[in-house]
Amino acid sequence: MSESIHAFDFIQQGQVDELPGVIAIAGDERFLKRQVFELLMPADADVSDFVGDSCEWRDIRDELRSGSLFGTGMRRVLVSDADGFVSQHRSSLEEYVAKPSRSAVLMLDLGALPSNTKLYKAIVARQGVINCRLPETKGGRSKSVDTVRLKKWVTRWAAAKHHIKLNDQAADELVDLIGWELGLLNQEMAKLALFVEKDGKVDVALVDRVVGGWRTQTTWDMLDAAAMGNAAQALEQLDHLLQSGDAPQALFGSIAWSLRRFAAATRIYQRMERTSGRGNLAAALEQAGFRKWPKEAIPKAVEQLKQISRARATHLYRWLLDADLSLKGSHSSPQRARFALEKLIFQLARQR
């Protein structure tokens, strides 16, 4: 077997009876890792924790050789933040994978484990690599997030863990409002479960009311202010949202959803101009995914796009991509994430 096991599949199988001697839990999706660890380390397990930067291979080796004093079954020896540890002790780990302990499982919590390494191939051959990243789909030489599989996960997780039934439209709306932050999606599902009976149905209206609510309106007000060039008011609204406890990544999901549709409408409008010599903003917005109900929805969106202006709307995709990469990389911490959102507001509010 040359493929890793995706966390979705690993979690769905439920209880784990047999474990390989070495397990690599690799990826940057912390919510998935928490679910995986819950399966790998039940309450009665005997677990020893180490941090990769502060331990040596001899410490781990001795722990793996020790018998279990507490709990039942095989001991778990966990090395968190193990990327540096793996790089430093790669040859020792390769030797150990070939002949692991029979009384303990070595678990490596990694950001990444390159598939072209000997260590990866040795662990994956024993079905020991668990992929904790968002699922991807290949398109030629490039990869992109597998949104089809993710939306299936949303409906399945909502039913299995929160006992609510999300129809396709409600699942789309939830993702549009929150984005692909699985932990935040899980929190909002738990909130929705409070408003329906067990195994009750959740529709778009309930998602808008419970998940969106005043936050959705405040987000719209913030974008309106930025589009009008009033950066100060937009920043005040952003501060209001952050002070209420909203994570910057969750806010970006809602912001990106709104601006992405405006960006799509702009491209559709430009295509109309090229093909027929004139464009129709209302029709372009409808094709971009804006709803026709209530009746004032499209006229309001037309005014908002005019406020944003054609010049700025053509840059929206690039600005959103830059912000997304920052929030997943250099600006992933809460304080720096705020700076990434503020930069996006200034870009949107900038006037000639």
Side-chain angles (χ1 to χ4, degrees), residues 45-80:
D46 185 357
V47 181
S48 298
D49 294 322
F50 293 86
V51 179
D53 292 339
S54 59
C55 66
E56 297 292 335
W57 169 244
R58 60 178 178 270
D59 304 322
I60 305 302
R61 180 190 57 204
D62 292 344
E63 198 69 25
L64 290 166
R65 288 175 176 174
S66 303
S68 180
L69 298 176
F70 307 99
T72 59
M74 298 181 71
R75 300 184 64 240
R76 273 72 162 167
V77 179
L78 171 64
V79 182
S80 59

Side-chain angles (χ1 to χ4, degrees), residues 5 9 25-27 39 45-46 81 91 112 119 148 151 214 229 240-241 271 285-286 290 307 339:
I5 304 169
D9 301 319
I25 304 98
L39 285 175
D46 185 357
D81 297 325
S91 60
L119 180 61
V148 173
K151 287 182 180 180
W214 72 268
H240 187 196
L241 289 164
R271 186 165 62 245
L285 287 162
E286 187 175 338
F290 284 83
Q307 291 170 10
F339 294 154

Side-chain angles (χ1 to χ4, degrees), residues 167-238:
N167 60 35
D168 291 341
Q169 293 76 19
D172 288 342
E173 185 75 354
L174 180 61
V175 170
D176 285 340
L177 289 171
I178 301 301
W180 289 122
E181 294 292 330
L182 302 188
L184 295 172
L185 285 170
N186 178 62
Q187 292 177 20
E188 296 303 327
M189 290 178 199
K191 189 188 302 180
L192 287 166
L194 300 175
F195 290 82
V196 294
E197 298 292 333
K198 184 177 180 181
D199 297 323
K201 295 181 179 179
V202 173
D203 58 16
V204 172
L206 184 61
V207 172
D208 282 339
R209 179 163 61 88
V210 175
V211 179
W214 72 268
R215 288 176 172 82
T216 301
Q217 183 61 49
T218 303
T219 301
W220 277 109
D221 292 341
M222 177 179 68
L223 294 177
D224 282 344
M228 291 292 289
N230 191 340
Q233 184 179 341
L235 291 174
E236 183 178 348
Q237 298 284 12
L238 174 62

Side-chain angles (χ1 to χ4, degrees), residues 220-286:
W220 277 109
D221 292 341
M222 177 179 68
L223 294 177
D224 282 344
M228 291 292 289
N230 191 340
Q233 184 179 341
L235 291 174
E236 183 178 348
Q237 298 284 12
L238 174 62
D239 184 68
H240 187 196
L241 289 164
L242 292 174
Q243 290 294 334
S244 72
D246 283 338
Q249 286 79 2
L251 286 177
F252 177 72
S254 180
I255 294 169
W257 171 66
S258 299
L259 295 182
R260 197 179 295 116
R261 292 189 303 164
F262 282 122
T266 301
R267 289 190 175 181
I268 293 169
Y269 183 85
Q270 291 173 326
R271 186 165 62 245
M272 289 177 175
E273 288 183 319
R274 290 194 299 269
T275 56
S276 64
R278 59 181 301 178
N280 184 314
L281 274 181
L285 287 162
E286 187 175 338

